[in-house]
Amino acid sequence: MSNPGGDWEENSPERLYVITGGRSGSSAPTALDLVTLIVAKSGSRPGMQPEQAAIIRLCQAPLSVAEISAYLSLPVSVVAVLLSDLLAEDRVLARAPVKPAKLPDRALIEAVIDGLQKL
């Protein structure tokens, strides 16, 4: 239940609605998932939404979308909307995480070992 005139609960639907401007999806087509890394390209500016300014401060070093969500105690869906706005304003950079290296074929490894043993 809302508390008129009092502080909103941290994750009340009303607060989350205001933070995202009522949007449930991103404003621009972006491919953000939990492990997408975000890094700030600039500092926060005066008049910036507090949650977006917090993202800029947090992301001076790369952080995943999941980490940002946890640090801000906001649902991932809300963070995705905020990040899409920051991406559209060119304030942050998003990149896929570094993929783990694929192991070479077993036959290749055995051939290298065989070759080394013959030296």
Side-chain angles (χ1 to χ4, degrees):
M1 180 187 290
S2 294
N3 181 5
D7 290 335
W8 288 352
E9 293 179 31
E10 276 300 303
N11 286 321
S12 70
E14 295 91 358
R15 177 175 177 264
L16 299 176
Y17 182 86
V18 170
I19 289 172
T20 62
R23 294 172 293 144
S24 61
S26 64
S27 59
T30 55
L32 295 175
D33 58 22
L34 293 175
V35 294
T36 300
L37 295 175
I38 307 293
V39 65
K41 292 176 74 175
S42 63
S44 60
R45 59 176 165 72
M48 183 179 266
Q49 186 175 359
E51 293 79 9
Q52 287 182 327
I55 290 172
I56 297 291
R57 284 191 305 274
L58 281 172
C59 293
Q60 294 305 308
L63 284 178
S64 71
V65 173
E67 290 171 312
I68 296 167
S69 174
Y71 284 132
L72 296 179
S73 299
L74 290 172
V76 172
S77 59
V78 171
V79 170
V81 170
L82 297 172
L83 287 172
S84 70
D85 292 345
L86 291 170
L87 284 164
E89 296 172 12
D90 203 30
R91 297 209 165 269
V92 296
L93 177 67
R95 66 178 175 92
V98 176
K99 294 184 181 182
K102 291 185 180 179
L103 293 176
D105 182 39
R106 182 178 176 97
L108 175 63
I109 293 173
E110 289 173 353
V112 169
I113 291 172
D114 186 50
L116 290 172
Q117 288 174 341
K118 291 180 180 177
L119 291 176

